[in-house]
Amino acid sequence: MSNHTADGETAGPAVNGVQSVDRAVSVMEILAQRGEAGVSEVAAEIDVHKSTAFRLLGALEARGLVEQTAERGKYRLGFGIVRLAGAVTGRLDITQQGRPVCERLAEEIGETVNIAVLQEHYAVNLYQVRGPGAVGTHNWVGQLTPLHATSSGKILLAHLPAEERAQTLTASGMRKLTAHTLTARARLEKDLAEAVARGYAVTLEEFEIGLHAVAAPIRSRDGEVVAALSASGPAYRFTEERIHELAPLLLKGAAEISHRMGCLG
């Protein structure tokens, strides 16, 4: 049996649910643009009956995402938005604080520099600067990359509690991407322990043939590892020897970003 909405539409519960979410987001976008708006304005803007707009605003108000102004009948965004934004501001801060450091490092190292964070069982790249000698034009920003096969991923894995690391690796599937990818759990654990001991992780053609990378941890105010700073380049030039020579520069850069994030360690 189908459901009838307040707007006279006929649809199943799932469709109605998606439509309601879409409309609720539209309402918040309208309030963000206008500062405040009444029920009639909102209804006209998203092309629904006033009763539907009133219901949407009521649901958002109950969650603190919108609030009524002193002038009853007018609505504006509520402080619940700040609570939600707090979940991503840390990531935005990392990019903002890391930008000048990444730009300097890309010049000093001559290769592509990235900042990545953990997202479920992937490392997602937030920011990238290509060095003067960077080969190719690949943009890693927004890309989800495998944790076990990337230097950033290894650093993020290495600093997870053992149980959480095991669950994350199981969820990831640990696919073999090249002949050099570490897929044996014991071997990877040994590699991660070495990364913690020396302060940086290395991948040698483990994600992509011809690509080497190195990453160091970025820490938050409380000393927790929240991101990875990496440099990557072609294997013929960014050799294992060169990686170890340049690692102190990367560690210094990661420490600087950490300090900018409020880490005193």
Side-chain angles (χ1 to χ4, degrees):
M1 185 176 138
S2 61
N3 293 343
H4 289 270
T5 67
D7 303 318
E9 296 145 355
T10 304
V15 175
N16 283 338
V18 172
Q19 189 180 52
S20 294
V21 170
D22 188 56
R23 285 172 172 172
V25 172
S26 295
V27 169
M28 289 189 285
E29 286 175 341
I30 290 161
L31 296 181
Q33 287 168 358
R34 297 191 177 192
E36 59 180 48
V39 178
S40 299
E41 292 172 80
V42 169
E45 190 79 28
I46 62 174
D47 195 24
V48 297
H49 290 167
K50 273 181 71 173
S51 60
T52 301
F54 187 74
R55 203 166 57 244
L56 284 167
L57 285 160
L60 290 168
E61 187 179 17
R63 295 299 185 100
L65 297 171
V66 307
E67 62 186 22
Q68 290 194 51
T69 63
E71 184 189 343
R72 299 290 289 177
K74 291 275 189 183
Y75 291 83
R76 65 186 174 201
L77 289 178
F79 284 105
I81 293 285
V82 177
R83 185 186 70 247
L84 294 181
V88 294
T89 49
R91 294 181 182 186
L92 296 174
D93 283 348
I94 293 165
T95 302
Q96 192 175 355
Q97 300 302 337
R99 185 173 285 120
V101 178
C102 289
E103 286 169 358
R104 189 188 71 231
L105 278 175
E107 282 289 331
E108 290 174 346
I109 295 173
E111 306 293 354
T112 299
V113 174
N114 269 286
I115 292 177
V117 295
L118 188 69
Q119 183 171 316
E120 295 176 351
H121 51 270
Y122 295 100
V124 61
N125 293 284
L126 300 182
Y127 186 65
Q128 172 177 302
V129 179
R130 295 179 69 244
V135 176
T137 56
H138 191 90
N139 185 1
W140 296 100
V141 175
Q143 289 214 0
L144 299 173
T145 57
L147 295 169
H148 69 295
T150 57
S151 59
S152 292
K154 283 185 183 181
I155 277 294
L156 296 168
L157 276 174
H159 292 276
L160 284 178
E163 191 178 333
E164 191 179 341
R165 181 165 63 247
Q167 289 170 350
T168 303
L169 284 171
T170 300
S172 76
M174 292 183 68
R175 280 178 53 230
K176 195 165 189 69
L177 301 168
T178 76
H180 306 283
T181 309
L182 303 182
T183 54
R185 193 76 67 95
R187 197 164 161 218
L188 180 63
E189 284 289 351
K190 185 171 180 288
D191 194 70
L192 296 180
E194 285 173 8
V196 171
R198 72 184 169 212
Y200 60 92
V202 174
T203 49
L204 305 171
E205 298 189 290
E206 293 164 47
F207 176 54
E208 200 176 278
I209 291 296
L211 183 71
H212 284 179
V214 56
I218 295 171
R219 298 176 186 272
S220 65
R221 184 177 283 104
D222 57 7
E224 181 189 352
V225 173
V226 290
L229 176 69
S230 70
S232 58
Y236 68 83
R237 185 177 66 211
F238 203 43
T239 61
E240 186 174 3
E241 185 184 8
R242 185 153 168 74
I243 280 172
H244 291 301
E245 279 173 14
L246 293 169
L249 273 180
L250 194 74
L251 285 165
K252 189 180 170 192
E256 189 180 332
I257 298 172
S258 300
H259 182 69
R260 284 166 166 263
M261 295 288 292
C263 180
L264 302 175

